Every structure is written in C-alpha cells, then in structure tokens.
Amino acid sequence: MPVSEFDLIDRYFRRQAAQRDDVVLGIGDDAAVMQVPADRQLVVAMDTLVAGRHFPPQTAAFDIGWKALAVNLSDLAAMGARPAWATLSLTVPAVDEDWLEGFATGFFQLAGQYQVALVGGDTTRGPLSVTVQVHGLVENGKALRRAGARAGQRLFITGTLGDAACALQALRAGHSVAPDRLRRLNRPEPRVDFGLALAGSGAAVIDISDGLLADLGHLLDASQCGATLWIDRLPCAPGPGPAMEPGMLDCQLQGGDDYELCFSLDAGQVGTLSRFARELQLPITEIGVIEAQTGIRCRHEDGRLYTPSGTGFDHFREVVNDQGRPA
Amino acid sequence: MPVSEFDLIDRYFRRQAAQRDDVVLGIGDDAAVMQVPADRQLVVAMDTLVAGRHFPPQTAAFDIGWKALAVNLSDLAAMGARPAWATLSLTVPAVDEDWLEGFATGFFQLAGQYQVALVGGDTTRGPLSVTVQVHGLVENGKALRRAGARAGQRLFITGTLGDAACALQALRAGHSVAPDRLRRLNRPEPRVDFGLALAGSGAAVIDISDGLLADLGHLLDASQCGATLWIDRLPCAPGPGPAMEPGMLDCQLQGGDDYELCFSLDAGQVGTLSRFARELQLPITEIGVIEAQTGIRCRHEDGRLYTPSGTGFDHFREVVNDQGRPA
C-alpha cells in the first residue's frame, strides 16, 4: 500500500523541536493558531529552495532541511526578531523514507537551537522544492530595516564571506571541497543572536544571501545613500585568502549564500556591539563607510578603485559553472 | 537584458489589493512586520499548488493566481478566521510577462474581495509551483476546529459538491466542460463569510479539499466519533444530478477541490446559521448525523448501505484519468 500524505506528515513532521505555550493549535487542523503577545509585532519571512538552483542536486537531505530553515531564520535575524514558529511546504518527487528522515532531522535540529515550533504546512509530490515561512516576534517598533543608513556611519559585516560560493564553484567543477567550507554552503548559521542584539539600535541591516554587492545595494537603495567598500578588509575564513586564491574576491563580493549580517552603525554604537560580538564568539569586521553619493565604490587600501565582474546572484539568471557555461 | 527577480517583484507584486493599517512593513525588506490586536489570535495556513498535480497544465494564469489564494482562504474559513495578510512564493520555469500579469490579476482580484494584503514572499525559477501562506485573525479562543463533533449533532455542507472533480475528469478525458462547472474547478469561492458566522459556535468544521469522505473522516477522527451520510441528499449544482450522470456521486464523495465547509451543529444552532446562510445566498444542506460509532456509513434514503469505490484525493497517489490509468 502506498504511503499517504497524512501518514508522512504524522511520521516525520509531528515531532516537536520546541514546546511553546504560545502555540494554541499546531499541526493537524485546517490551520494553526498562535498567540502574539500584546507588546510584540509579528515578523514573517518566506523563502523557497529549488533543487539544482539553490542547492546542488547531490546535497544531503539533512543539509536541505537545515538550510531551508536557516535561510529564513537569517531573514528574521536581519530584522532583529526572535524566531517563534515555522510552516513548511515540502514537494518531493517520491516518498523516500530515508530522505524524509534526514530532512526532518536537519530541519528540527536547527529548529531546536532557536526554540522554533513547526505549526503547519503542506506536503505534496512534484519536483524537489522546499518553502519555509518563519514567524518571529519583535518588541513594538524595534524591528530593524534596510532603510536608515546615513552618510558617515561605519559599515560592518558579521563572520566571513565567500566560502559558500567558493564551495559551490568547486562542486560544480567536480573538485573536492574542504569540510569547513562545504559546511558554510550546506549548513549556514543564521546570526539570530546578533540580530537580537542589534534590535532597537536603529542600525540599517540586511542579510547577505545574494552576494555582498547585491544585498548592500538593496540596503543603500532603501537608505538612499551609497558606500565605499574596502575590499582588502573583507573577512574570510582561515586559509590562503583572496590574494592567494583566484576567484575568492569575486565569491566574497558576488557569491551569495553567506547569511551574514551587513549593517551600519554610528561610531558611538560600535563599542557595545563589538563587546556583544565577542561574547558570541562571532567576529564583526568594519568593511566600509556610508556616503551620501549613491552607488558602491570598491577600493583597495591604497585607494585604487576595483571594478567587480558582476553584482550577485539573480534567481532568474542562468546558473553558470566556473567555465561560464550554463551549469 | 534579462529581467531580474527584483524587477519582477516590483512590476507585478507590489500592487496592493488592500491598504491595511496593521501592516507595519510590507514587501521590500528582509521580512514583513505586522501588528496583531491584543484580543485576536493569529491563524496561519499554507498550501502549495504544483502544475499537473493540483491544476491541469493548460489552466489560465489568472485562475492559478486566484486558486492559489482561494484554497488557503478556504482553510481560514474553516477556522472562522478573518483573512488579513498573505505571502506568496512563486516558482516559474521562465519569465513570461503575460503569464505573470494574468497570475497577479487573479491573485489580487480575490485578495481585494477579502482585504488581504500581500506582505512578502519569494520568486524563483524552476518547475511551475505556487505556495501561499495566509494569515487570519480570530477572537481569542473562538477558532473553529475539526474536533468537538458529538453524537446526535446534525451534519451540514455549504454549497454544492462534485462539480470541480467532474470538470477535472472531463478535461483529462479531452471532453468539453460547461463554463459554470469549469469555474468551480478553477475559481473556487472560499466560504470566508460563512466561516466567520460559525466562529465561536463550537461547531466542528473542515473544508472539503481532498473529497468529502476523506475530509469528513479527518473531522470525525479529530472528534473521536463517526457519522451516517445520506448520499441521496448530497447537494449538486443545477443539472442532470447524480442519478442521471454516471460518476457524479463518486465525484461528490471522493473528488475534492470543492472548498465547501462541512460542519456539525447542535439542533438549537441550526436556525441561526440557516438564516445567515440565506442572507449570504449560500445554501447549506443537512447531509447526515454524527454518531458515537466510528467510521462513515453511506446510506441511501431507504437505508441501504452504499460502498464508495475509494476515499479521496491523496497527494502522493498516482493521479489516474477516468479510464483508471495514470494521467
């Protein structure tokens, strides 16, 4: 007898990573019911991962489950919101129980880290695709935005840039990838705690999913200003570094899939946030300065301009491999 | 120059069907921010439509946009919740501007009927698939559930059953379909207003998406009871009727895609709800009775048992055409 949709839901997705008093009615009815505290606003983000577009087809089920939630939690982090609930729509080509077990394990492992309850969703059959919506809570009026950066503010980034894109390029070219670098591609760590620390600071914030240039561009557009970016200061994981690794700088500027937070701060706020980052053992790096002139100017330390080869990941452009051909 | 994801979002999805004061921050940031009133609970439902599985590939873009929202609003109706906001994740194989315009027009036309604001989502490229999440509001503690039906209660259905499934069968067999019947398949009308009238009544409610037998089965499972269903009373649209149309009864019992509300009522509640249904010009029909004995017994008026050929739409079963072969 074939496994029915409802058996699947029961078997893999009814487990709960988090018991939350604010879930009035979870999975199993026509919809879920939740209680939002009177002093909180609701923050929602929805992202879809399509096989072969947002992750290589050979990606492990655990990693797909983790990443589908992580990219959404990263959006909540960029708003300074505390994660609360998730819904999941999973489309799979066939019922593969090992795959479902792996996927659910990855999803719930990350959900448990942030006390996220899965409250509903949908499962259906079709080409592999995962849509997650996350719901977070933020104190009234304290949500972070892309808008609000002002000329003279200092520009920062959490963590490091470029590893995920380099890993993806190497995989596409059939090369081996170091485990640490592969982990950055497959199991991004959303910067939720740092986002919570930023909440209410008035910082302009965005998460880097489509590449630093593209996403910083959105922040600057929303803020109606520009920036100079010091490209020699872009943080990268321990290793040979951009000077020694061809293509690394492009990955840092345009690669995407970093899920770091890029944010602007007044000089007076830097000390507090730096201390908090140290407590979290999450480095933050000053990578530029906000300017009134629109556009992004990439400069070396000696002031020379650098012209990037592109602007970032576009969900509708052909994905090309490192030979420049469609992947 | 190819159209970028962001251009697309701007062009087709930034229009607003509803201006809502409770949307603090809509489309265009990392996430949306909304204000939930202190005396309301949040109700969320998410459903995905996959091309070729949930709608025929030739379905008009307008209808896909309409239906993707309608099936979700139907879930809110079954909870007695008032629709408020939606998020949309749209995966399309290519950028077809006529298609996008049609899709957006259908989506926003229905959104406007219920003052639903589109607050966020995702667009990406891949096999055609639409995921919508709707967010509704309900007075604290008044959400309707599948659970709570009790032996002796009367069982009702809104509207009519079977037209959508009959239309789908005819399309698959290459037959022509009357416009009214096709409309039931492609532009279902969620029973939002009637659901609001039911809210707080304590009625057990479910919406009929996967077929009456399957969905009534869920209501009865949640309520830990059973029912007798009078199959000769199942309401159908004007036309030859089940007695004259081979297969119609199966469509009514197992076809799905009806998006009517099935609910149980105490005898004392029937008058009020019937009056409200008349005001809405939405017929409601008594189709059975809740019983302590679990299971569903289908009976003719003369008491003879009827044995259905199956139980309803299963998202993981092969879709078969009317010759019983995989479609």
Side-chain angles (χ1 to χ4, degrees), chain B residues 134-146:
Chain B
V134 287
H135 311 69
L137 300 171
V138 68
E139 275 185 64
N140 290 342
K142 294 208 171 169
L144 298 164
R145 304 186 179 203
R146 297 177 178 179

Side-chain angles (χ1 to χ4, degrees), chain A residues 97-138:
Chain A
E97 302 201 30
D98 286 343
W99 191 95
L100 285 167
E101 176 61 32
F103 178 92
T105 303
F107 183 93
F108 283 115
Q109 187 164 313
L110 182 59
Q113 276 189 29
Y114 293 105
Q115 295 295 299
V116 173
L118 180 67
V119 295
D122 196 9
T123 51
T124 188
R125 195 162 65 175
L128 180 58
S129 168
V130 190
T131 298
V132 170
Q133 172 155 332
V134 287
H135 311 69
L137 299 171
V138 68

Side-chain angles (χ1 to χ4, degrees), chain A residues 52-290:
Chain A
R53 178 148 296 266
H54 299 99
F55 56 86
Q58 70 269 30
T59 305
F62 181 102
D63 293 339
I64 298 170
W66 174 288
K67 189 168 181 173
L69 181 58
V71 303
N72 278 284
L73 292 179
S74 181
D75 283 323
L76 290 189
M79 306 299 288
R82 187 177 295 281
W85 318 297
T87 49
L88 162 68
S89 176
L90 177 61
T91 302
V92 292
V95 176
D96 174 336
E97 302 201 30
D98 286 343
W99 191 95
L100 285 167
E101 176 61 32
F103 178 92
T105 303
F107 183 93
F108 283 115
Q109 187 164 313
L110 182 59
Q113 276 189 29
Y114 293 105
Q115 295 295 299
V116 173
L118 180 67
V119 295
D122 196 9
T123 51
T124 188
R125 195 162 65 175
L128 180 58
S129 168
V130 190
T131 298
V132 170
Q133 172 155 332
V134 287
H135 311 69
L137 299 171
V138 68
E139 274 185 65
N140 290 342
K142 294 208 171 170
L144 298 164
R145 302 185 180 205
R146 296 176 179 179
R150 294 183 307 278
Q153 284 191 315
R154 297 157 71 175
L155 188 65
F156 289 82
I157 189 98
T158 60
T160 62
L161 294 171
D163 268 337
C166 278
L168 185 61
Q169 278 193 357
L171 286 178
R172 288 207 172 115
H175 300 151
S176 67
V177 182
D180 282 358
R181 186 165 274 185
L182 198 58
R183 193 178 171 87
R184 286 301 305 265
L185 176 66
N186 289 333
R187 299 192 197 172
E189 296 279 354
R191 303 309 187 187
V192 172
D193 293 323
F194 193 77
L196 289 170
L198 280 171
S201 70
V205 187
I206 193 168
D207 80 315
I208 305 302
S209 53
D210 295 340
L212 177 62
L213 289 181
D215 288 318
L216 174 59
H218 297 315
L219 184 151
L220 296 172
D221 287 347
S223 298
Q224 299 182 285
C225 54
T228 282
L229 204 58
W230 298 314
I231 59 168
D232 301 320
R233 296 192 197 176
L234 299 181
C236 56
M244 299 297 289
E245 189 174 357
M248 178 46 127
L249 181 57
D250 281 349
C251 284
Q252 292 189 291
L253 288 171
Q254 305 152 48
D257 258 356
D258 295 305
Y259 304 103
E260 299 293 353
L261 298 182
C262 179
F263 55 98
S264 71
L265 287 181
D266 289 329
Q269 297 173 305
V270 174
T272 307
L273 271 305
S274 295
R275 274 191 298 280
F276 190 80
R278 275 195 298 277
E279 283 170 25
L280 289 177
Q281 299 186 289
L282 174 70
I284 64 173
T285 305
E286 187 170 356
I287 58 171
V289 62
I290 304 292

Side-chain angles (χ1 to χ4, degrees), chain B residues 73-96:
Chain B
L73 292 179
S74 181
D75 283 323
L76 290 189
M79 306 299 289
R82 187 176 294 282
W85 318 298
T87 49
L88 163 67
S89 176
L90 177 60
T91 302
V92 292
V95 176
D96 174 337

Side-chain angles (χ1 to χ4, degrees), chain A residues 2-6 8 24-25 28-36 38 40-48 50 53-54 75 78-79 85 87-89 91-92 95 119 121-127 131 133 135 140 143 145-146 205-207 210 218 314-318, chain B residues 2-6 8 24-25 28-36 38 40-48 50 53-54 75 78-79 85 87-89 91-92 95 119 121-127 131 133 135 140 143 145-146 205-207 210 218 314-318:
Chain A
V3 177
S4 85
E5 176 188 25
F6 309 104
L8 274 179
V24 180
L25 187 62
D29 214 297
D30 289 280
V33 181
M34 281 88 69
Q35 191 78 49
V36 175
R40 291 290 188 281
Q41 288 171 328
L42 175 69
V43 183
V44 305
M46 173 192 263
D47 263 318
T48 294
V50 177
R53 178 148 296 266
H54 299 99
D75 283 323
M79 306 299 288
W85 318 297
T87 49
L88 162 68
S89 176
T91 302
V92 292
V95 176
V119 295
D122 196 9
T123 51
T124 188
R125 195 162 65 175
T131 298
Q133 172 155 332
H135 311 69
N140 290 342
R145 302 185 180 205
R146 296 176 179 179
V205 187
I206 193 168
D207 80 315
D210 295 340
H218 297 315
D314 182 321
H315 299 244
F316 279 90
R317 252 188 357 221
E318 283 295 339
Chain B
V3 177
S4 83
E5 175 188 25
F6 309 105
L8 274 181
V24 180
L25 188 63
D29 214 295
D30 289 282
V33 181
M34 281 87 71
Q35 191 78 49
V36 175
R40 291 289 188 280
Q41 288 171 328
L42 175 70
V43 183
V44 305
M46 173 192 263
D47 262 319
T48 295
V50 176
R53 177 149 296 266
H54 299 98
D75 283 323
M79 306 299 289
W85 318 298
T87 49
L88 163 67
S89 176
T91 302
V92 292
V95 176
V119 296
D122 197 10
T123 51
T124 188
R125 195 162 66 176
T131 298
Q133 172 155 332
H135 311 69
N140 290 342
R145 304 186 179 203
R146 297 177 178 179
V205 187
I206 193 167
D207 81 315
D210 295 340
H218 297 316
D314 182 321
H315 299 245
F316 278 90
R317 250 186 1 216
E318 282 297 338

